[in-house]
Protein backbone atom coordinates (compact mmCIF):
# COMPACT_ATOMS: atom_id res chain seq x y z
CA UNK A 1 0.00 0.00 0.00
CA UNK A 2 1.31 3.41 -0.84
CA UNK A 3 0.50 6.24 1.54
CA UNK A 4 0.74 9.78 0.30
CA UNK A 5 1.06 12.47 3.00
CA UNK A 6 -0.16 15.85 1.96
CA UNK A 7 0.60 18.81 4.26
CA UNK A 8 -1.82 21.66 4.49
CA UNK A 9 -0.69 25.13 3.39
CA UNK A 10 -1.15 28.25 5.57
CA UNK A 11 -1.76 31.59 4.11
CA UNK A 12 1.35 33.87 4.18
CA UNK A 13 1.49 36.52 6.89
CA UNK A 14 0.45 39.94 5.65
CA UNK A 15 3.50 42.09 4.81
CA UNK A 16 4.51 44.43 7.62
CA UNK A 17 2.81 42.50 10.44
CA UNK A 18 5.11 41.90 13.46
CA UNK A 19 6.05 38.40 14.46
CA UNK A 20 5.74 37.78 18.22
CA UNK A 21 9.11 37.29 20.00
CA UNK A 22 9.99 33.85 21.28
CA UNK A 23 9.28 33.19 24.91
CA UNK A 24 12.16 34.29 27.31
CA UNK A 25 13.85 36.72 24.87
CA UNK A 26 14.05 40.48 25.81
CA UNK A 27 13.36 42.75 22.89
CA UNK A 28 15.44 45.70 24.30
CA UNK A 29 18.62 45.61 26.47
CA UNK A 30 18.61 48.21 29.26
CA UNK A 31 21.63 50.57 29.55
CA UNK A 32 23.76 50.14 32.77
CA UNK A 33 23.86 53.07 35.24
CA UNK A 34 26.58 53.11 37.94
CA UNK A 35 25.99 54.79 41.29
CA UNK A 36 28.97 57.03 42.22
CA UNK A 37 30.15 59.32 44.95
CA UNK A 38 32.09 62.41 43.79
CA UNK A 39 34.61 64.90 45.09
CA UNK A 40 36.17 68.11 43.80
CA UNK A 41 39.89 68.91 43.84
CA UNK A 42 40.83 71.50 46.45
CA UNK A 43 43.72 73.90 46.84
CA UNK A 44 45.84 73.82 49.99
CA UNK A 45 49.08 75.52 51.03
CA UNK A 46 51.76 72.85 51.20
CA UNK A 47 55.21 72.97 52.78
CA UNK A 48 57.76 72.89 50.01
CA UNK A 49 61.36 71.72 49.89
CA UNK A 50 64.26 72.43 47.59
CA UNK A 51 66.50 69.42 47.07
CA UNK A 52 70.19 70.04 46.38
CA UNK A 53 73.36 67.97 46.46
CA UNK A 54 76.99 68.79 47.09
CA UNK A 55 80.09 68.06 49.17
CA UNK A 56 81.16 68.52 52.78
CA UNK A 57 84.02 70.97 53.37
CA UNK A 58 85.90 71.95 56.52
CA UNK A 59 85.56 75.51 57.82
CA UNK A 60 89.09 76.19 56.63
CA UNK A 61 91.94 74.18 55.17
CA UNK A 62 95.56 75.33 55.21
CA UNK A 63 98.62 73.85 53.57
CA UNK A 64 101.38 74.73 56.03
CA UNK A 65 104.87 75.43 54.71
CA UNK A 66 108.14 76.53 56.27
CA UNK A 67 108.40 80.01 57.77
CA UNK A 68 112.20 79.81 58.03
CA UNK A 69 113.69 78.04 55.05
CA UNK A 70 116.00 75.13 55.58
CA UNK A 71 116.14 71.37 55.90
CA UNK A 72 113.17 69.88 57.75
CA UNK A 73 114.72 68.25 60.83
CA UNK A 74 111.61 66.84 62.50
CA UNK A 75 107.89 66.47 61.78
CA UNK A 76 105.87 66.10 64.97
CA UNK A 77 102.49 65.02 63.52
CA UNK A 78 100.99 62.31 61.36
CA UNK A 79 97.87 62.15 59.22
CA UNK A 80 94.86 61.70 61.48
CA UNK A 81 96.36 63.53 64.46
CA UNK A 82 94.25 66.19 66.16
CA UNK A 83 96.07 69.40 67.07
CA UNK A 84 95.30 72.47 69.11
CA UNK A 85 96.18 76.00 68.10
CA UNK A 86 99.87 76.56 68.86
CA UNK A 87 100.91 72.90 68.84
CA UNK A 88 104.22 72.30 67.00
CA UNK A 89 103.86 70.72 63.57
CA UNK A 90 107.45 70.51 62.29
CA UNK A 91 110.88 72.16 62.69
CA UNK A 92 113.55 73.20 60.25
CA UNK A 93 117.27 73.17 61.12
CA UNK A 94 118.04 75.82 63.74
CA UNK A 95 121.84 76.04 63.85
CA UNK A 96 122.17 78.81 61.23
CA UNK A 97 119.46 80.89 62.90
CA UNK A 98 121.01 80.40 66.34
CA UNK A 99 124.32 81.70 64.94
CA UNK A 100 122.58 84.69 63.39
CA UNK A 101 121.00 85.51 66.75
CA UNK A 102 124.37 85.39 68.52
CA UNK A 103 125.88 87.69 65.88
CA UNK A 104 122.98 90.14 66.17
CA UNK A 105 123.26 90.20 69.96
CA UNK A 106 127.02 90.88 69.70
CA UNK A 107 126.46 93.78 67.29
CA UNK A 108 123.82 95.18 69.62
CA UNK A 109 126.28 95.01 72.52
CA UNK A 110 128.89 96.89 70.45
CA UNK A 111 126.30 99.57 69.67
CA UNK A 112 125.40 99.79 73.35
CA UNK A 113 129.03 100.32 74.26
CA UNK A 114 129.28 103.09 71.67
CA UNK A 115 126.28 104.77 73.21
CA UNK A 116 127.79 104.63 76.67
CA UNK A 117 131.11 106.09 75.47
CA UNK A 118 129.39 108.87 73.54
CA UNK A 119 127.18 109.65 76.54
CA UNK A 120 130.24 109.85 78.78
CA UNK A 121 131.89 112.39 76.46
CA UNK A 122 128.75 114.52 76.29
CA UNK A 123 128.42 114.44 80.08
CA UNK A 124 132.09 115.44 80.44
CA UNK A 125 131.97 118.25 77.85
CA UNK A 126 128.73 119.82 79.02
CA UNK A 127 130.14 121.81 82.03
CA UNK A 128 133.38 122.55 80.17
CA UNK A 129 131.55 124.00 77.18
CA UNK A 130 129.71 126.49 79.40
CA UNK A 131 133.05 127.66 80.80
CA UNK A 132 134.56 127.99 77.35
CA UNK A 133 137.12 125.25 77.92
CA UNK A 134 135.67 123.09 75.12
CA UNK A 135 134.84 124.71 71.82
CA UNK A 136 131.26 124.52 70.57
CA UNK A 137 132.43 122.52 67.52
CA UNK A 138 133.91 119.76 69.64
CA UNK A 139 130.84 119.70 71.85
CA UNK A 140 128.52 119.45 68.82
CA UNK A 141 130.59 116.58 67.46
CA UNK A 142 130.20 114.73 70.77
CA UNK A 143 126.43 115.18 70.73
CA UNK A 144 126.25 114.02 67.13
CA UNK A 145 128.30 110.93 67.96
CA UNK A 146 125.82 110.15 70.77
CA UNK A 147 122.90 110.40 68.38
CA UNK A 148 124.63 108.12 65.82
CA UNK A 149 125.44 105.59 68.54
CA UNK A 150 121.83 105.65 69.71
CA UNK A 151 120.61 105.00 66.16
CA UNK A 152 123.07 102.11 65.78
CA UNK A 153 121.82 100.67 69.09
CA UNK A 154 118.20 100.78 67.91
CA UNK A 155 119.24 99.11 64.66
CA UNK A 156 121.11 96.43 66.58
CA UNK A 157 118.10 95.77 68.83
CA UNK A 158 115.91 95.43 65.74
CA UNK A 159 118.30 92.90 64.24
CA UNK A 160 118.23 90.92 67.49
CA UNK A 161 114.42 90.80 67.43
CA UNK A 162 114.49 89.75 63.77
CA UNK A 163 116.97 86.97 64.53
CA UNK A 164 114.85 85.78 67.48
CA UNK A 165 111.77 85.72 65.27
CA UNK A 166 113.60 83.75 62.57
CA UNK A 167 114.81 81.25 65.16
CA UNK A 168 111.30 80.89 66.54
CA UNK A 169 109.93 80.43 63.04
CA UNK A 170 111.99 77.29 62.60
CA UNK A 171 109.26 75.59 64.66
CA UNK A 172 105.97 75.86 62.76
CA UNK A 173 102.83 75.66 64.89
CA UNK A 174 99.16 74.94 64.18
CA UNK A 175 97.27 78.14 63.28
CA UNK A 176 93.97 76.76 64.65
CA UNK A 177 92.42 73.70 66.24
CA UNK A 178 91.99 70.94 63.70
CA UNK A 179 93.14 67.68 62.20
CA UNK A 180 96.15 66.72 60.09
CA UNK A 181 94.72 65.61 56.77
CA UNK A 182 97.87 65.38 54.63
CA UNK A 183 101.66 65.12 55.00
CA UNK A 184 103.57 65.95 51.86
CA UNK A 185 107.22 65.28 52.74
CA UNK A 186 109.47 63.47 55.22
CA UNK A 187 112.42 64.72 57.24
CA UNK A 188 115.55 65.77 55.33
CA UNK A 189 113.86 67.78 52.59
CA UNK A 190 114.95 71.39 52.06
CA UNK A 191 111.96 73.72 52.19
CA UNK A 192 111.93 77.33 51.04
CA UNK A 193 109.71 79.94 52.66
CA UNK A 194 108.62 81.35 49.32
CA UNK A 195 106.87 79.87 46.31
CA UNK A 196 109.46 78.35 44.05
CA UNK A 197 107.31 77.25 41.13
CA UNK A 198 108.73 73.74 41.54
CA UNK A 199 105.65 72.03 43.00
CA UNK A 200 104.11 71.79 46.44
CA UNK A 201 105.85 73.98 49.00
CA UNK A 202 103.80 72.69 51.96
CA UNK A 203 104.83 70.17 54.60
CA UNK A 204 101.44 69.27 56.14
CA UNK A 205 97.79 70.14 55.71
CA UNK A 206 95.56 71.18 58.62
CA UNK A 207 91.76 71.29 58.48
CA UNK A 208 89.58 73.07 61.00
CA UNK A 209 86.89 70.39 61.05
CA UNK A 210 85.12 71.21 64.34
CA UNK A 211 82.88 73.34 62.16
CA UNK A 212 81.97 72.06 58.70
CA UNK A 213 79.80 73.23 55.84
CA UNK A 214 77.87 71.64 53.03
CA UNK A 215 78.73 73.27 49.70
CA UNK A 216 75.56 72.77 47.67
CA UNK A 217 74.43 73.52 44.12
CA UNK A 218 70.95 74.18 42.74
CA UNK A 219 69.72 75.10 39.24
CA UNK A 220 69.58 78.83 38.57
CA UNK A 221 65.80 78.46 38.12
CA UNK A 222 65.61 77.99 41.92
CA UNK A 223 67.20 81.37 42.68
CA UNK A 224 63.84 82.99 43.40
CA UNK A 225 63.21 80.46 46.19
CA UNK A 226 66.63 80.77 47.83
CA UNK A 227 67.63 83.29 50.48
CA UNK A 228 69.81 83.50 53.57
CA UNK A 229 68.69 81.88 56.84
CA UNK A 230 66.37 79.31 55.23
CA UNK A 231 66.37 76.22 57.45
CA UNK A 232 66.82 72.67 56.27
CA UNK A 233 68.29 69.24 56.89
CA UNK A 234 71.50 67.71 55.60
CA UNK A 235 71.75 64.00 54.80
CA UNK A 236 75.34 62.76 54.73
CA UNK A 237 76.28 59.38 53.28
CA UNK A 238 77.08 56.93 56.06
CA UNK A 239 75.18 58.91 58.72
CA UNK A 240 71.66 57.87 59.68
CA UNK A 241 70.51 61.05 61.44
CA UNK A 242 69.92 64.27 59.48
CA UNK A 243 71.80 67.41 60.51
CA UNK A 244 69.84 70.61 61.12
CA UNK A 245 71.32 73.68 59.46
CA UNK A 246 70.49 76.87 57.60
CA UNK A 247 71.77 78.78 54.61
CA UNK A 248 74.62 81.05 55.74
CA UNK A 249 76.20 81.88 52.38
CA UNK A 250 74.47 82.43 49.04
CA UNK A 251 76.87 82.99 46.18
CA UNK A 252 75.96 85.95 43.96
CA UNK A 253 77.54 84.24 40.97
CA UNK A 254 75.86 81.70 38.70
CA UNK A 255 78.25 79.32 36.96
CA UNK A 256 77.93 80.14 33.24
CA UNK A 257 78.76 76.58 32.21
CA UNK A 258 76.65 74.45 34.54
CA UNK A 259 73.98 77.13 35.14
CA UNK A 260 74.10 76.27 38.84
CA UNK A 261 74.11 78.55 41.90
CA UNK A 262 76.14 77.74 45.02
CA UNK A 263 75.00 78.07 48.62
CA UNK A 264 76.46 76.85 51.91
CA UNK A 265 74.95 75.43 55.09
CA UNK A 266 77.26 75.21 58.12
CA UNK A 267 76.96 73.04 61.22
CA UNK A 268 78.86 72.09 64.36
CA UNK A 269 80.92 68.95 63.80
CA UNK A 270 82.06 67.54 67.17
CA UNK A 271 85.12 65.30 67.00
CA UNK A 272 85.23 65.90 63.22
CA UNK A 273 82.65 63.11 62.82
CA UNK A 274 81.59 64.25 59.34
CA UNK A 275 84.58 64.19 57.00
CA UNK A 276 85.47 66.77 54.40
CA UNK A 277 84.82 65.39 50.94
CA UNK A 278 81.76 63.32 51.86
CA UNK A 279 78.73 63.70 49.61
CA UNK A 280 75.67 65.40 51.07
CA UNK A 281 72.04 66.01 50.12
CA UNK A 282 70.05 68.96 51.47
CA UNK A 283 66.33 69.46 51.92
CA UNK A 284 65.78 73.19 52.33
CA UNK A 285 62.45 74.48 53.63
CA UNK A 286 61.42 77.12 51.11
CA UNK A 287 58.22 79.18 51.18
CA UNK A 288 54.92 77.19 51.14
CA UNK A 289 53.12 76.88 47.79
CA UNK A 290 49.57 76.17 46.65
CA UNK A 291 48.84 72.57 45.63
CA UNK A 292 45.87 70.82 43.98
CA UNK A 293 44.87 67.94 46.26
CA UNK A 294 42.61 64.90 45.91
CA UNK A 295 41.81 61.98 48.21
CA UNK A 296 43.97 58.98 47.36
CA UNK A 297 40.81 56.87 46.81
CA UNK A 298 39.95 58.92 43.70
CA UNK A 299 43.17 57.87 41.94
CA UNK A 300 43.20 54.70 39.87
CA UNK A 301 45.96 52.86 38.02
CA UNK A 302 49.50 51.94 39.08
CA UNK A 303 53.02 53.22 38.59
CA UNK A 304 53.23 55.98 36.02
CA UNK A 305 49.81 55.07 34.57
CA UNK A 306 47.52 56.97 36.95
CA UNK A 307 44.10 58.36 36.06
CA UNK A 308 40.78 59.62 37.42
CA UNK A 309 37.20 59.55 36.16
CA UNK A 310 35.65 62.97 35.60
CA UNK A 311 31.90 63.51 35.79
CA UNK A 312 30.82 64.96 32.42
CA UNK A 313 27.17 65.07 31.27
CA UNK A 314 26.19 62.15 33.52
CA UNK A 315 29.03 60.07 32.13
CA UNK A 316 32.44 58.95 33.48
CA UNK A 317 35.33 60.24 31.38
CA UNK A 318 38.81 58.84 31.98
CA UNK A 319 41.57 61.48 32.43
CA UNK A 320 45.30 60.66 32.92
CA UNK A 321 46.98 62.56 35.75
CA UNK A 322 50.43 62.95 37.30
CA UNK A 323 50.57 62.78 41.08
CA UNK A 324 52.92 62.88 44.03
CA UNK A 325 52.25 61.58 47.53
CA UNK A 326 51.37 63.92 50.39
CA UNK A 327 50.33 61.44 53.10
CA UNK A 328 48.43 58.18 53.49
CA UNK A 329 45.10 59.78 52.54
CA UNK A 330 45.96 62.51 50.02
CA UNK A 331 47.91 63.07 46.82
CA UNK A 332 48.93 66.21 44.97
CA UNK A 333 47.88 66.54 41.34
CA UNK A 334 50.85 67.77 39.35
CA UNK A 335 49.18 67.67 35.93
CA UNK A 336 45.87 66.69 34.31
CA UNK A 337 43.29 68.32 36.60
CA UNK A 338 42.12 71.83 37.39
CA UNK A 339 40.31 73.26 40.37
CA UNK A 340 36.52 72.89 40.14
CA UNK A 341 36.41 69.67 38.09
CA UNK A 342 34.31 66.93 39.67
CA UNK A 343 35.95 63.53 40.08
CA UNK A 344 34.48 60.13 40.94
CA UNK A 345 35.51 59.16 44.46
CA UNK A 346 33.81 55.73 44.74
CA UNK A 347 31.58 53.67 42.44
CA UNK A 348 29.14 50.82 42.97
CA UNK A 349 30.60 48.94 40.00
CA UNK A 350 33.80 49.05 37.94
CA UNK A 351 33.95 52.09 35.66
CA UNK A 352 34.93 52.46 32.07
CA UNK A 353 35.16 55.43 29.75
CA UNK A 354 31.69 56.65 28.79
CA UNK A 355 29.61 54.63 31.24
CA UNK A 356 26.47 56.35 32.50
CA UNK A 357 26.60 57.41 36.13
CA UNK A 358 24.38 59.01 38.71
CA UNK A 359 25.11 60.33 42.15
CA UNK A 360 24.46 58.10 45.12
CA UNK A 361 21.52 59.49 47.10
CA UNK A 362 22.62 61.15 50.32
Amino acid sequence: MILILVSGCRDAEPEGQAVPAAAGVTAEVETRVVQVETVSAETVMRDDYLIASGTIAAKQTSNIGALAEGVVEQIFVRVGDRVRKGDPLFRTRQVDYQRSLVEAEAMRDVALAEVRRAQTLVDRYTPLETKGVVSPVVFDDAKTALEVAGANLRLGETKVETAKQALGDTTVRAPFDGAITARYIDEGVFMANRFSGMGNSAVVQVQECGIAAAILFAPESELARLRLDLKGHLYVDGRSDPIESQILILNDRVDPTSRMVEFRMAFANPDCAVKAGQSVRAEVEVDPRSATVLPRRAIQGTGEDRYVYLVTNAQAKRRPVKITDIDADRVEILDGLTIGETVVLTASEPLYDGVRIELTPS
Side-chain angles (χ1 to χ4, degrees):
M1 177 185 297
I2 299 174
L3 297 178
I4 300 175
L5 299 179
V6 179
S7 60
C9 295
R10 295 183 57 189
D11 294 336
E13 295 288 347
E15 186 176 353
Q17 183 174 341
V19 179
V25 177
T26 303
E28 182 179 351
V29 179
E30 295 182 355
T31 303
R32 184 167 68 117
V33 177
V34 179
Q35 300 290 323
V36 299
E37 186 180 356
T38 62
V39 68
S40 294
E42 61 177 344
T43 300
V44 299
M45 295 305 295
R46 184 183 178 190
D47 292 339
D48 199 10
Y49 296 90
L50 183 148
I51 308 300
S53 59
T55 304
I56 297 294
K59 179 183 178 181
Q60 55 182 328
T61 300
S62 296
N63 291 333
I64 310 297
L67 297 175
E69 66 181 16
V71 175
V72 176
E73 278 190 334
Q74 188 173 1
I75 300 176
F76 304 109
V77 294
R78 297 177 298 176
V79 172
D81 286 350
R82 304 292 167 82
V83 295
R84 306 288 293 179
K85 182 178 180 179
D87 287 349
L89 302 177
F90 62 91
R91 184 178 66 223
T92 53
R93 189 167 58 192
Q94 296 181 322
V95 60
D96 293 335
Y97 297 96
Q98 290 170 337
R99 185 183 300 111
S100 295
L101 177 59
V102 171
E103 291 175 355
E105 289 174 338
M107 295 300 294
R108 177 201 59 192
D109 293 343
V110 170
L112 179 59
E114 291 292 337
V115 167
R116 289 172 179 169
R117 186 180 71 168
Q119 185 66 55
T120 300
L121 286 176
V122 170
D123 293 342
R124 182 181 301 166
Y125 289 165
T126 299
L128 298 177
E129 192 271 338
T130 59
K131 296 177 181 179
V133 176
V134 175
S135 68
V137 173
V138 173
F139 186 59
D140 288 343
D141 288 344
K143 290 190 293 184
T144 301
L146 177 59
E147 292 175 357
V148 172
N152 286 333
L153 177 60
R154 292 191 296 273
L155 179 60
E157 290 173 341
T158 300
K159 289 182 177 180
V160 168
E161 294 302 317
T162 300
K164 286 182 178 179
Q165 182 66 55
L167 179 60
D169 286 345
T170 57
T171 300
V172 178
R173 301 179 181 275
F176 44 75
D177 297 350
I180 305 300
T181 52
R183 174 171 161 171
Y184 299 110
I185 67 164
D186 293 321
E187 287 85 353
V189 177
F190 180 88
M191 298 298 294
N193 59 358
R194 53 190 175 273
F195 183 71
S196 64
M198 298 297 290
N200 197 338
S201 59
V203 178
V204 295
Q205 182 184 79
V206 183
Q207 284 189 350
E208 185 179 0
C209 50
I211 296 176
I215 303 177
L216 301 154
F217 298 90
E220 64 176 324
S221 58
E222 300 287 2
L223 266 175
R225 300 204 294 167
L226 286 172
R227 67 173 185 273
L228 295 178
D229 299 326
L230 285 179
K231 299 184 183 300
H233 291 86
L234 301 174
Y235 297 86
V236 181
D237 283 354
R239 182 187 176 99
S240 58
D241 299 329
I243 301 170
E244 294 185 3
S245 184
Q246 61 185 15
I247 297 179
L248 296 181
I249 297 175
L250 180 58
N251 199 329
D252 290 321
R253 176 180 178 272
V254 174
D255 188 281
T257 303
S258 64
R259 315 311 305 177
M260 303 290 277
V261 61
E262 173 195 326
F263 62 97
R264 301 191 180 198
M265 303 176 71
F267 57 93
N269 188 27
D271 199 34
C272 302
V274 178
K275 310 301 182 184
Q278 285 189 274
S279 60
V280 60
R281 177 176 59 86
E283 292 183 1
V284 182
E285 300 173 10
V286 294
D287 294 333
R289 60 178 177 81
S290 61
T292 302
V293 176
L294 273 180
R296 186 178 294 274
R297 291 184 297 161
I299 306 299
Q300 301 195 40
T302 58
E304 297 296 324
D305 184 21
R306 299 299 185 100
Y307 57 92
V308 297
Y309 281 105
L310 298 181
V311 177
T312 305
N313 298 326
Q315 289 184 323
K317 295 295 183 180
R318 176 167 165 162
R319 171 82 63 80
V321 292
K322 292 182 179 180
I323 66 170
T324 186
D325 294 334
I326 296 179
D327 52 38
D329 299 319
R330 301 178 302 163
V331 298
E332 178 185 353
I333 305 299
L334 301 178
D335 187 35
L337 194 65
T338 58
I339 298 299
E341 292 184 301
T342 303
V343 176
V344 174
L345 179 63
T346 61
S348 61
E349 300 179 41
L351 297 175
Y352 57 87
D353 197 30
V355 67
R356 289 183 58 194
I357 57 176
E358 64 179 21
L359 298 182
T360 302
S362 303

